[in-house]
Amino acid sequence: MSKNLNNKLVAAAEIVLRVIWYLSIAGTIFFMGKMLLGPVLEITEYTSGLITPIEFSVNEQGTATFDSDQTVPVQINHAKGYFRIDRPIPTTLKVVFFLINLVVSGLILWVIYVLWKIVQSVKQKNPFIVLNGRRLRIIAFSMIGIELSQGLANLIKMLYLEPRLQFETIIIQSKIHVSFHVIVAGLVILVIAEAFRIGVEMKEEQELTV
């Protein structure tokens, strides 16, 4: 019963990944085509209005009241949010953002494809191969690359826009916004990939000695 259930789950995972793979290709072609040809064909205008994360502090000091007679000062530091500006950006930045998005999209497609191949090897009852260890390394490096690329894109936008932003009480801080959880997860997968490779090599050595 458990074996049949596992087989069904693997088959379902393969179908889902296959669908995601083709949908991702279609989505990437549409999105990149819109970025590249939208302004030319006057379908859309590629602006700096992309949602961009920011970190900021507030000069104004507030207060918080506890009970009826206890009031304490409150200050906002290292707050996080998003901003959007609907204005055309220079062609140079358009090219930079296009290339970064192209890299990110390619890495995402690569991860999906590699996962699909790993699931196929499981379906074929042959998951413990050196190639799957390499595939896990590809996933790990791709995850880290995606996160760093997105962080770089956000930093470039902030460096371009920060000198042009004016607020009376808000201080904008330019920082590279990356998810260290994703990077740590990528490093963990990298360690697992190395352990997987060593395990496969030991298995092959045992088979040769028998």
Side-chain angles (χ1 to χ4, degrees), residues 5-74:
L5 179 60
N6 289 337
N7 291 336
K8 290 180 180 178
L9 289 174
V10 171
E14 184 190 8
I15 294 173
V16 170
L17 285 171
R18 182 180 299 180
V19 172
I20 292 175
W21 165 249
Y22 289 118
L23 288 177
S24 298
I25 291 177
T28 299
I29 293 173
F30 173 79
F31 178 70
M32 301 307 292
K34 184 179 178 182
M35 284 182 61
L36 188 63
L37 300 176
V40 177
L41 301 177
E42 297 183 352
I43 299 173
T44 183
E45 182 180 43
Y46 186 66
T47 70
S48 58
L50 297 176
I51 296 177
T52 305
I54 60 170
E55 190 168 316
F56 61 93
S57 300
V58 180
N59 278 333
E60 181 182 357
Q61 183 172 282
T63 59
T65 302
F66 298 91
D67 299 326
S68 58
D69 57 349
Q70 186 182 11
T71 301
V72 296
V74 177

Side-chain angles (χ1 to χ4, degrees), residues 126-167:
N126 189 31
F128 299 106
I129 54 177
V130 175
L131 186 57
N132 276 349
R134 294 173 185 168
R135 287 167 176 163
L136 287 173
R137 284 198 296 274
I138 288 173
I139 292 174
F141 284 120
S142 296
M143 288 175 60
I144 296 172
I146 290 168
E147 195 60 34
L148 292 179
S149 297
Q150 291 177 333
L152 177 62
N154 290 330
L155 180 62
I156 291 173
K157 281 185 277 188
M158 278 305 306
L159 291 176
Y160 168 71
L161 292 171
E162 184 182 12
R164 297 164 174 82
L165 297 174
Q166 294 182 358
F167 295 96

Side-chain angles (χ1 to χ4, degrees), residues 28 31-32 35 96-107:
T28 299
F31 178 70
M32 301 307 292
M35 284 182 61
V96 171
F97 293 151
F98 178 82
L99 292 176
I100 292 176
N101 284 323
L102 187 63
V103 170
V104 170
S105 299
L107 289 174

Side-chain angles (χ1 to χ4, degrees), residues 106-193:
L107 289 174
I108 291 174
L109 288 173
W110 201 4
V111 168
I112 296 171
Y113 179 76
V114 169
L115 279 173
W116 182 14
K117 287 299 181 181
I118 291 176
V119 171
Q120 282 184 332
S121 69
V122 174
K123 185 178 180 181
Q124 296 167 0
K125 312 296 184 184
N126 189 31
F128 299 106
I129 54 177
V130 175
L131 186 57
N132 276 349
R134 294 173 185 168
R135 287 167 176 163
L136 287 173
R137 284 198 296 274
I138 288 173
I139 292 174
F141 284 120
S142 296
M143 288 175 60
I144 296 172
I146 290 168
E147 195 60 34
L148 292 179
S149 297
Q150 291 177 333
L152 177 62
N154 290 330
L155 180 62
I156 291 173
K157 281 185 277 188
M158 278 305 306
L159 291 176
Y160 168 71
L161 292 171
E162 184 182 12
R164 297 164 174 82
L165 297 174
Q166 294 182 358
F167 295 96
E168 292 183 0
T169 60
I170 296 177
I171 303 173
I172 304 296
Q173 300 166 349
S174 296
K175 289 187 178 181
I176 183 168
H177 293 267
V178 296
S179 173
F180 289 102
H181 295 90
V182 174
I183 294 177
V184 170
L187 294 175
V188 169
I189 294 175
L190 198 59
V191 172
I192 294 173

